[in-house]
Amino acid sequence: MTPATTTAVTTGTTTATTTGLAPRAVGTPHVRREGRDKVTGTARYAADFPADGLAHGWIVVSTVARGRIRSVDDIAALKMPGVLAVLHHDNAPRLKEDFAGTFGPDATAQVLQHDRVPYAGWPVACVVAETPEQAREAAETLVVTYDTAPHDADFRPGHPDAYTPEAAGMGPARTDKGDVEAELAASDVVVDARYTTAEEHHNPMEPHAAMARWDAGRLEVVDTTQGAYATAQDLARLFGLDPASVHLRSEHVGGGFGCKAQVRPHLILAVMATTLLERPVRIALTRAQTFTLIGHRSPTAQRVRLGAGTDGRLRALEHTSLSATSTVRDFVEPSATYARSMYDASGHRTVHSVVRLDVPTPTYMRAPGEAPGSFAMECALDELAERCGLDPIVLRTRNEPAAGPVSGLPFAGRRLLDCFAEGARRFGWSERDPRPGVRRDGRWLVGTGTAASTFFTGAFPATAAVTACADGTFTVRITAADIGTGARTALAQLAADALEVPEDRVHVLIGDSDFGNAWLAGGSMGTRSWGWAVMLAARELRERLALGADIPADGITVRSDTEQAVRALAAYERHAYGAQFAEVAVDPGSGEIRVRRMLGIFAAGRIVNPLTARSQLTGGMIWGLSMALHEEAVRDTASGSLVNADLAGYHIAAHADVPAIEVDWLDDADPDDPVGLKGIGEIGTVGSAAAVANAVWHATGVRHRDLPIRPDRVLMSAAPTGQDRAGRR
């Protein structure tokens, strides 16, 4: 046991004490600090902030998929009660044409800057009025005339305009090692399968909203964003402002999942309107508008070719993926990235291709790339195991790489096989009859499936400030974002342990761009990036207090910057891992699929707060279940618009769809992180759709390679076709 150490620090009125006997906060369950505020309605979201003289904006979007705006007839709208202005491309403030934001050049931010219409749902005007009802009514009377042009909104495999870009996400669009064709030819068993995933939408509980106003020459903004500092910096670049003149706050965020990581039209238009009217303006999106204005996950068409010996050891692996992007900005869904770190072969190839369509620009969505990529690869491996007569877990064990398959780098911890071993024990995998379609429960066919899971882990530089206050408490300030994950609570735990004080003596302030640079809540890197900065500042402050420093009335503050520490990280393959298990029941008469139970065992670094971590991982698994069985945005290729842009037509998993879900984890600390953190935001989603799909095959003997697995697809696959039951339908 660590010996007790006590330091007394004399202040103007009190004595601040740090003690080595303070209970360790990290690793123990803590109820999230803002929980009561959220359930009682006290927590303020972006649409809740008041302002004197507040006006309201309503965005008007295009009804055509491609063309030019011939005219905007705003005469009638301007005469309506309460209407203050109608912004459009002829009168809107000018933005920087060469704008490059946090994620690079971004032409999607050029709102109301030209008459071009790149897709249905593109902002063409914004009506500002005294009330949101007046703004909406006037927006509905606005007459916009277009010169239309032929469009293409039809995503399909083999699209003639598909191409391979230089980069896809955070890596190259193509990787090659060895001779794939020669290894396939020499293989005893070959799997060659094609997979598709549907267009998906984020749908956080809180739709996007922003309020902007000018105060003493400074732009004050409240926005629902995953990164207050990054968004403030991007706004300054876009409007040509001094970054110090932009102040952005984001107290609470009701979910994000990637769609709140960038500057969006509602925020840009709110700033335009407040600049013109010289009064505060708020713009809040409707649920339907979030289906076009804030991004989505592109549909994918993937092909996996595997070649192996009869022992299941891979000789060839090829994973190619096609996704859609807009004509405004390229965004690639990097699905084939999954194979680059998971499985090795002498012949190894991954390729990302993309096709520009007249559709909204996709964006990051929970587990970008890995979610659809794991579905294809893990289902193909399941089929390979079947053809080799091997248990799916045994097959994966025989293909466990010693180093990064593409990078060649050593792993900074890889407990994937341990996850499978523990998961198999808890799930009762050894009792499974490997034969498909033989287990019944009344009219239901019952099956079980498994899949691996991984997501890269990293850290971005961040700054933080920790203050020792005269009353014996401590205050942490960092531009983190709590998007429902419990970030405030986790950071308080980390700071408490670094300071060696009880967790209830630590206050945490986040979501304010004035606190300095910090990575946004995304890519499973938020807590690790922020926690690193908080730990450095807190430890230095503890050392100062240990020397007997007097605390003045305004406290003692220590600031940290992890730039050098993060840049000095050794080169490793850094990933979190997991093993997913699912049991399903399929009604062959109706095509209904019921997921009965799911289990996920993860190795995702040291867990700060088991209570909120379990919620995160469970939510990710439900997300994958929803991807497997429900979520599908349907685009009308004739109009270019979605036909189900609401939660009535776009189905997500509801309480009745979610079975008993068990989540647990293994110790897998990153040795180069001050606390051993990795990340848990994405990994719960990865592999869960594949586990469900593999379980459906085990129940029915039919492979489903197109998501979602709808009842009609189950019924069609059950119809006699003369094909092998395990073949493609």
Side-chain angles (χ1 to χ4, degrees):
M1 177 180 292
T2 303
T5 58
T6 302
T7 302
V9 184
T10 302
T11 71
T13 56
T14 63
T15 297
T17 304
T18 65
T19 172
L21 284 180
R24 303 301 291 178
V26 172
T28 60
H30 285 67
V31 175
R32 65 185 67 208
R33 294 183 159 205
E34 76 284 0
R36 180 178 294 274
D37 289 343
K38 287 183 175 179
V39 299
T40 59
T42 306
R44 294 192 302 179
Y45 293 86
D48 298 327
F49 280 76
D52 293 335
L54 181 64
H56 301 266
W58 198 274
I59 301 176
V60 180
V61 298
S62 67
T63 56
V64 302
R66 187 181 178 192
R68 299 277 181 178
I69 301 171
R70 184 187 302 171
S71 65
V72 179
D73 186 353
D74 58 4
I75 296 176
L78 288 169
K79 294 179 180 179
M80 296 182 70
V83 174
L84 302 171
V86 176
L87 281 68
H88 48 79
H89 68 279
D90 284 333
N91 62 13
R94 297 296 94 183
L95 304 172
K96 294 294 183 181
E97 294 183 6
D98 58 350
F99 167 68
T102 300
F103 297 97
D106 187 1
T108 65
Q110 298 298 311
V111 180
L112 306 189
Q113 300 300 289
H114 51 73
D115 64 355
R116 187 169 77 89
V117 175
Y119 57 78
W122 174 260
V124 295
C126 180
V127 177
V128 185
E130 298 286 354
T131 70
E133 293 81 9
Q134 290 171 332
R136 180 172 189 168
E137 184 178 4
E140 291 174 350
T141 68
L142 201 67
V143 178
V144 182
T145 306
Y146 304 94
D147 290 325
T148 61
H151 69 270
D152 180 6
D154 184 15
F155 176 78
R156 58 193 184 277
H159 195 292
D161 295 332
Y163 67 99
T164 300
E166 292 185 3
M170 299 180 68
R174 182 185 181 106
T175 63
D176 281 283
K177 183 177 71 173
D179 190 330
V180 170
E181 301 303 331
E183 296 295 342
L184 283 169
S187 296
D188 298 309
V189 183
V190 174
V191 170
D192 185 348
R194 298 177 185 271
Y195 303 85
T196 67
T197 61
E199 179 179 321
E200 294 181 273
H201 288 258
H202 306 72
N203 277 304
M205 291 182 67
E206 177 207 17
H208 293 58
M211 188 268 285
R213 64 187 177 92
W214 286 94
D215 183 11
R218 199 174 196 213
L219 180 62
E220 297 285 345
V221 178
V222 178
D223 184 34
T224 176
T225 174
Q226 293 174 230
Y229 183 82
T231 302
Q233 294 292 302
D234 288 351
L235 268 183
R237 297 186 191 102
L238 186 60
F239 283 88
L241 303 172
D242 178 357
S245 70
V246 180
H247 179 213
L248 192 149
R249 291 174 295 156
S250 187
E251 282 189 11
H252 296 280
V253 181
F257 318 116
C259 67
K260 294 178 179 176
Q262 297 171 245
V263 173
R264 297 297 183 188
H266 69 287
L267 175 56
I268 299 169
L269 292 170
V271 174
M272 284 182 176
T274 193
T275 301
L276 287 176
L277 297 175
E278 298 182 347
R279 59 186 290 185
V281 176
R282 175 191 295 153
I283 297 178
L285 299 187
T286 65
R287 178 63 61 185
Q289 287 176 333
T290 65
F291 277 83
T292 59
L293 292 175
I294 55 90
H296 61 276
R297 196 198 306 276
S298 166
T300 71
Q302 302 176 60
R303 184 184 185 187
V304 177
R305 293 198 297 167
L306 303 175
T310 55
D311 60 358
R313 288 185 169 85
L314 289 169
R315 300 189 58 156
L317 183 155
E318 181 186 62
H319 188 180
T320 62
S321 177
L322 173 67
S323 61
T325 190
S326 72
T327 61
V328 181
R329 180 192 182 201
D330 279 359
F331 182 92
V332 181
E333 182 72 21
S335 303
T337 299
Y338 180 83
R340 296 177 183 175
S341 63
M342 283 298 283
Y343 305 109
D344 202 357
S346 298
H348 196 290
R349 178 187 299 140
T350 64
V351 183
H352 294 114
S353 297
V354 68
V355 58
R356 293 188 179 115
L357 299 176
D358 300 307
V359 299
T361 306
T363 192
Y364 304 96
M365 186 171 177
R366 198 172 192 178
E370 274 83 353
S374 64
F375 162 66
M377 181 56 64
E378 292 297 317
C379 287
L381 282 167
D382 199 70
E383 186 166 350
L384 179 64
E386 176 207 354
R387 295 189 182 184
C388 291
L390 295 173
D391 180 88
I393 297 177
V394 171
L395 178 84
R396 288 166 174 80
T397 302
R398 291 184 180 177
N399 286 288
E400 179 70 356
V406 172
S407 70
L409 295 173
F411 293 107
R414 181 177 167 113
R415 298 195 63 187
L416 175 61
L417 297 186
D418 293 336
C419 290
F420 270 116
E422 178 64 12
R425 183 187 68 80
R426 294 197 191 188
F427 197 74
W429 188 259
S430 62
E431 302 172 5
R432 177 184 190 256
D433 186 332
R435 296 174 299 166
V438 299
R439 182 179 167 194
R440 283 188 173 270
D441 181 5
R443 74 176 191 274
W444 299 92
L445 295 169
V446 180
T448 53
T450 189
S453 175
T454 189
F455 198 81
F456 78 94
T457 61
F460 271 80
T463 58
V466 181
T467 301
C469 304
D471 62 358
T473 63
F474 299 84
T475 300
V476 174
R477 292 176 176 83
I478 185 168
T479 314
D482 195 330
I483 60 175
T485 56
R488 287 179 177 83
T489 311
L491 293 175
Q493 293 174 257
L494 290 166
D497 280 2
L499 292 164
E500 298 183 357
V501 301
E503 182 261 350
D504 59 6
R505 286 174 58 186
V506 178
H507 304 292
V508 177
L509 301 177
I510 65 172
D512 190 319
S513 65
D514 279 357
F515 294 161
N517 179 34
W519 178 245
L520 49 84
S524 293
M525 292 182 282
T527 302
R528 183 180 184 186
S529 301
W530 309 324
W532 198 328
V534 169
M535 292 286 289
L536 287 182
R539 287 175 177 174
E540 182 179 338
L541 179 59
R542 186 192 68 208
E543 292 171 0
R544 289 194 190 182
L545 296 179
L547 295 175
D550 290 336
I551 301 180
D554 58 351
I556 296 177
T557 298
V558 171
R559 293 177 172 81
S560 66
D561 187 338
T562 63
E563 176 82 28
Q564 291 185 353
V566 170
R567 301 302 181 198
L569 276 172
Y572 283 98
E573 282 266 350
R574 300 181 188 275
H575 293 260
Y577 298 94
Q580 303 265 16
F581 295 82
E583 179 181 293
V584 306
V586 182
D587 184 346
S590 67
E592 179 184 1
I593 299 173
R594 292 185 182 178
V595 177
R596 292 186 167 184
R597 60 188 177 112
M598 296 182 75
L599 168 68
I601 302 294
F602 301 96
R606 191 176 181 194
I607 301 301
V608 178
N609 188 346
L611 184 65
T612 52
R614 196 175 305 278
S615 177
Q616 275 286 286
L617 293 168
T618 301
M621 292 172 66
I622 294 171
W623 192 296
L625 181 159
S626 196
M627 177 184 184
L629 302 181
H630 301 288
E631 297 192 39
E632 182 178 23
V634 180
R635 193 166 294 279
D636 175 19
T637 57
S639 67
S641 300
L642 292 178
V643 299
N644 58 337
D646 54 47
L647 292 181
Y650 181 86
H651 295 169
I652 59 175
H655 284 292
D657 301 303
V658 177
I661 296 181
E662 182 182 357
V663 168
D664 210 343
W665 46 81
L666 309 177
D667 181 46
D668 184 38
D670 187 317
D672 292 325
D673 185 89
V675 192
L677 302 184
K678 287 190 175 181
I680 60 173
E682 266 80 17
I683 191 168
T685 302
V686 183
S688 58
V692 171
N694 289 337
V696 171
W697 166 80
H698 186 234
T700 64
V702 177
R703 296 280 177 191
H704 286 272
R705 301 189 178 99
D706 304 298
L707 295 187
I709 309 175
R710 304 187 309 254
D712 63 305
R713 286 175 169 166
V714 174
L715 292 175
M716 289 178 63
S717 68
T721 63
Q723 297 182 28
D724 178 73
R725 292 185 72 203
R728 179 170 174 78
R729 302 296 182 181

